[in-house]
Structures are given as structure tokens and as C-alpha cells.
């Protein structure tokens, strides 16, 4: 059995480091998805990508432990106010959709945020 990661948001600092780390492990592998591979704002594309990935991996070995690590984020802090709808879609709505798609295939879901997106204070 091995750990299989799907990483939307590939190409950024977080995903690059994560993918480099995972690829050095013997019983783990990962597939990074750039914006060209998966538009996380498209709910149908998200659901299809995650389901297809799971089907492919389970056909290889049904014992793979599937994990979706969301590294996709709207990170342009200066433009986030003028593009608030897009920022909310990428940073709030899309992670929920990715989590739902992961749950449908029985995968674990990990979402990593920063204080620029959510500082944990609970106040807006």
C-alpha cells in the first residue's frame, strides 16, 4: 500500500516543496495539477478530475491511501479587494468543492491556508 497525493495548485511555493518532498519517499507518489490541468473554480472539472484520479489509482491497487492536498489559492493580496469575488471563489468556495469531491471517493482532504486568507481570529 502506498500514499497517493493529488495536489491542485501545483507551481506555487507550497506545492513545489510538497511535491519535491513526497517524490523522495519510497511508498508515496504525487500528481501536481497546475491551473492549466485543473481550474479549481469549475465544480464539474474538480469532481471529474478527482473521480478519474481515484479510479485510475484504484485500478492500479485498491489499497492506495488517497489524499487530496489543496495548494490552490488566490494569493495576490493587493488585487484581492478589487477581485473579491474571484478571491472568495478560489480561497473559500473551491476548497469546499474539492473537499466534497475527495469525500465522495473516500480520500482524505488537506487544505493549507495563511493568515492572509484566514488569520484564525474569527473576525472579519
Amino acid at each position: 500500500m502506498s500514499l497517493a497525493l493529488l495536489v491542485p495548485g501545483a507551481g506555487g511555493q507550497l506545492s513545489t516543496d510538497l511535491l519535491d518532498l513526497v517524490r523522495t519517499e519510497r511508498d508515496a507518489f504525487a500528481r501536481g495539477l497546475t491551473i492549466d490541468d485543473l481550474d479549481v473554480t469549475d465544480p464539474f472539472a474538480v469532481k471529474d478530475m478527482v473521480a478519474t484520479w481515484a479510479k485510475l489509482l484504484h485500478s492500479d491497487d485498491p489499497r492506495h491511501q488517497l489524499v487530496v492536498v489543496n495548494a490552490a489559492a488566490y494569493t495576490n493580496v493587493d488585487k484581492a479587494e478589487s477581485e473579491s469575488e474571484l478571491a472568495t471563489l478560489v480561497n473559500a468556495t473551491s476548497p469546499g468543492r474539492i473537499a466534497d469531491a475527495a469525500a465522495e471517493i473516500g480520500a482524505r482532504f488537506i487544505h493549507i491556508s495563511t493568515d492572509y486568507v484566514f488569520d484564525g481570529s474569527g473576525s472579519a
Side-chain angles (χ1 to χ4, degrees):
M1 173 174 54
S2 63
L3 180 64
L5 275 65
L6 184 67
V7 185
Q13 292 174 330
L14 171 64
S15 63
T16 299
D17 288 348
L18 175 65
L19 291 167
D20 286 348
L21 179 66
V22 169
R23 290 178 177 147
T24 65
E25 295 299 316
R26 190 173 59 112
D27 291 327
F29 58 94
R31 165 105 196 270
L33 301 171
T34 67
I35 187 68
D36 293 331
D37 300 320
L38 175 64
D39 176 359
V40 297
T41 66
D42 180 340
F44 299 107
V46 167
K47 188 172 182 172
D48 287 347
M49 176 62 80
V50 173
T52 300
W53 172 72
K55 186 181 287 187
L56 176 68
L57 288 172
H58 281 147
S59 71
D60 173 58
D61 185 342
R63 298 171 298 156
H64 286 308
Q65 291 182 328
L66 308 180
V67 180
V68 178
V69 180
N70 183 35
Y74 184 100
T75 58
N76 188 333
V77 176
D78 295 331
K79 283 183 80 175
E81 287 188 32
S82 64
E83 295 183 350
S84 63
E85 286 184 30
L86 178 58
T88 299
L89 182 58
V90 172
N91 291 339
T93 306
S94 294
R97 291 176 179 160
I98 298 168
D100 288 345
E104 285 183 26
I105 61 156
R108 294 186 184 261
F109 174 74
I110 299 171
H111 177 76
I112 301 169
S113 185
T114 72
D115 64 343
Y116 286 114
V117 177
F118 174 67
D119 68 5
S121 70
S123 62

